[in-house]
Amino acid sequence: MHQFCCWKAGFKQDKCQYHKDHTNVDVRTGCKAFVQFHIDEDGKWIVTRHDTEHNHALHSPSKQHLLPSH
Ligand SMILES: [Zn+2]
C-alpha cells in the first residue's frame, strides 16, 4: 500500500510520516486530501481510497513550478 497526501497535510508540529518539512515557513493547513494505492501481483497500481477535498485554495498552473514536488 502507498499513500500520497497533500503537501499542506497536518501542521508543522505534527510528525506526519508521509510529509517532511520543505521550508521554515508553516504553510500547512491540516488538509486531509490524499490518494491511497494498492499494488497487485502484476505491479498494477489500483486506487483504493481517496479524498479530493482540500481545505485551501489550489495553486494556479502558472505557479506549479514553485511547489516542492516540481
Ligand atoms: Zn490540500
Side-chain angles (χ1 to χ4, degrees):
M1 179 191 81
H2 293 273
Q3 184 174 10
F4 299 102
C5 60
C6 176
W7 78 295
K8 292 191 175 194
F11 295 98
K12 192 166 183 85
Q13 67 273 16
D14 289 348
K15 301 288 184 194
C16 176
Q17 64 179 320
Y18 302 109
H19 191 272
K20 295 181 178 177
D21 285 330
H22 297 284
T23 175
N24 289 330
V25 178
D26 188 5
V27 296
R28 297 185 191 191
T29 61
C31 183
K32 298 194 182 300
F34 74 96
V35 61
Q36 181 175 304
F37 300 90
H38 168 76
I39 303 174
D40 70 10
E41 313 83 48
D42 299 325
K44 189 183 300 181
W45 288 50
I46 302 166
V47 175
T48 55
R49 295 176 59 211
H50 72 283
D51 183 346
T52 58
E53 292 293 322
H54 294 265
N55 66 357
H56 54 87
L58 300 179
H59 286 278
S60 66
S62 66
K63 295 194 176 172
Q64 285 182 344
H65 66 283
L66 300 174
L67 297 173
S69 60
H70 286 73

